[in-house]
């Protein structure tokens, strides 16, 4: 019964990963610009050489030369993908809330290097630098975007132009890449940029634009994730039952074989 034990073990481990992902999605349901994750699973079938052999038989009474087919399953994580679909737009009226509508990311400068983010709830630093809530400066086409200290009228156009009291003080740099699935989440709503990946300008005023006074809500469906959590819990209980049953059968076999006759 070792096969049943290992199958239940690997299934439990992969189910644990799925539960952690669901918990992370629910924890960020109120994080502006957060993109949910999803896992896909597959059964890795172990094939034996004789599984692919179909030997001819001389007659119906001939004994087969090879044993019957035998396949064993091992549950594995197939893929982990991030859902980059657009989140709902929420009006705040805050001039520093600037949401991206369409595909694309802001470039931010962190102590460890440059990252991408979809965070739309921005703020102004002590020196006027436009930054995320975590304190990472938003990058414009010329570097950090610094707002005048005493500006009262801040206006952001759909193509990313930033104007303070009627004077342009910066230009948002919204970029995209051919395959967003290459990005890696590193925490704080940031994505690491893979090496040798070219970034392209995404702001065209039509397919991609920015909207001032709005934040992009997380694209997490809380009800769907709660249903998934219940499903995962039931799956884990079933997998524990498989391992417990396999262990009981092993004990019974050992006890029966070990009896003196």
């Amino acid at each position: 019964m070792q096969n049943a034990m290992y199958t239940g073990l690997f299934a439990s481990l992969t189910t644990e990963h799925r539960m952690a992902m669901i918990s992370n999605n629910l924890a960020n349901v109120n994080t502006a610009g957060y993109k949910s994750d999803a896992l896909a699973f597959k059964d890795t079938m172990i094939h034996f050489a004789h599984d692919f052999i179909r030997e001819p038989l001389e007659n119906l009474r001939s004994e087969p030369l090879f044993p019957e087919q035998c396949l064993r399953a091992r549950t594995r994580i197939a893929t982990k993908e991030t859902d980059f679909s657009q989140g709902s737009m929420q009006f705040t009226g805050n001039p520093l809330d600037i949401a991206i509508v369409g595909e694309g990311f802001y470039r931010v400068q962190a102590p460890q290097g440059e990252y991408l983010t979809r965070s739309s709830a921005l703020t102004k630093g002590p020196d006027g630098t436009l930054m995320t809530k975590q304190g990472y400066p938003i990058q414009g086409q010329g570097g950090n975007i610094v707002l005048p200290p005493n500006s009262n009228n801040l206006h952001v156009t759909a193509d990313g132009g930033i104007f303070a009291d009627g004077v342009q003080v910066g230009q948002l740099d919204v970029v995209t890449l051919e395959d967003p699935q290459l990005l890696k989440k590193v925490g704080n709503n940031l994505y690491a940029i893979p090496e040798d990946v070219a970034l392209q300008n995404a702001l065209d005023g039509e397919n991609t634009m920015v909207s001032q006074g709005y934040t992009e809500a997380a694209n997490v469906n809380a009800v769907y994730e709660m249903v998934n959590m219940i499903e995962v819990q039931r799956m884990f209980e079933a997998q524990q039952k498989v391992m417990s049953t396999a262990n009981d059968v092993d004990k019974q076999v050992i006890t029966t074989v070990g009896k003196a006759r």
Side-chain angles (χ1 to χ4, degrees), residues 12 15 231-242:
S12 298
T15 302
E231 176 188 353
V232 169
Q233 183 179 0
R234 297 293 182 267
M235 291 174 59
F236 190 78
E237 292 173 354
Q239 292 151 6
Q240 284 185 314
K241 183 64 175 178
V242 169

Side-chain angles (χ1 to χ4, degrees), residues 52-125:
F52 303 96
I53 298 176
R54 299 294 183 269
E55 74 280 4
L57 300 179
E58 295 182 359
N59 54 63
L60 295 177
R61 295 183 179 181
S62 298
E63 293 292 336
L65 300 177
F66 297 93
E68 294 294 328
Q69 298 180 21
C70 180
L71 301 177
R72 292 183 293 176
R74 294 287 187 269
T75 305
R76 294 289 189 274
I77 297 176
T79 59
K80 177 182 179 181
E81 293 187 349
T82 300
D83 179 11
F84 286 102
S85 62
Q86 180 77 43
S88 62
M89 303 295 289
Q90 297 180 337
F91 177 75
T92 64
N94 185 346
L96 291 178
D97 289 341
I98 309 171
I100 299 175
V101 182
E103 65 178 16
F105 304 85
Y106 289 126
R107 294 189 302 112
V108 299
Q109 189 64 41
Q112 298 80 10
E114 187 176 87
Y115 295 90
L116 302 181
T117 185
R118 286 280 298 197
S119 179
S120 51
L122 308 181
T123 185
K124 184 170 66 172

Side-chain angles (χ1 to χ4, degrees), residues 65-261:
L65 300 177
F66 297 93
E68 294 294 328
Q69 298 180 21
C70 180
L71 301 177
R72 292 183 293 176
R74 294 287 187 269
T75 305
R76 294 289 189 274
I77 297 176
T79 59
K80 177 182 179 181
E81 293 187 349
T82 300
D83 179 11
F84 286 102
S85 62
Q86 180 77 43
S88 62
M89 303 295 289
Q90 297 180 337
F91 177 75
T92 64
N94 185 346
L96 291 178
D97 289 341
I98 309 171
I100 299 175
V101 182
E103 65 178 16
F105 304 85
Y106 289 126
R107 294 189 302 112
V108 299
Q109 189 64 41
Q112 298 80 10
E114 187 176 87
Y115 295 90
L116 302 181
T117 185
R118 286 280 298 197
S119 179
S120 51
L122 308 181
T123 185
K124 184 170 66 172
D127 60 348
T129 301
L130 186 65
M131 58 181 59
T132 65
K133 294 292 186 180
Q134 294 78 21
Y136 304 128
I138 297 291
Q139 297 297 289
Q141 293 185 355
N144 292 353
I145 299 175
V146 181
L147 306 177
N150 299 321
S151 59
N152 297 318
N153 185 13
L154 181 66
H155 175 64
V156 181
T157 61
D159 60 357
I162 301 179
F163 295 82
D165 298 327
V167 179
Q168 186 168 3
V169 296
Q171 174 67 41
L172 288 170
D173 189 14
V174 179
V175 297
T176 186
L177 63 161
E178 185 174 351
D179 185 8
Q181 296 298 335
L182 297 176
L183 297 175
K184 180 181 179 181
K185 287 187 176 183
V186 295
N188 291 324
N189 213 6
L190 299 179
Y191 299 90
I193 308 171
E195 297 182 2
D196 303 326
V197 171
L199 299 178
Q200 306 167 0
N201 180 41
L203 276 177
D204 56 10
E206 296 181 2
N207 298 320
T208 300
M209 61 186 72
V210 294
S211 184
Q212 186 181 19
Y214 288 84
T215 58
E216 180 191 9
N219 64 352
V220 178
N221 187 327
V223 175
Y224 176 77
E225 296 296 343
M226 289 298 296
V227 172
N228 285 340
M229 180 173 288
I230 296 173
E231 176 188 353
V232 169
Q233 183 179 0
R234 297 293 182 267
M235 291 174 59
F236 190 78
E237 292 173 354
Q239 292 151 6
Q240 284 185 314
K241 183 64 175 178
V242 169
M243 290 188 289
S244 176
T245 302
N247 185 58
D248 292 341
V249 172
D250 282 346
K251 288 182 178 179
Q252 183 178 3
V253 170
I254 293 172
T255 303
T256 303
V257 173
K259 286 183 178 179
R261 295 187 181 277

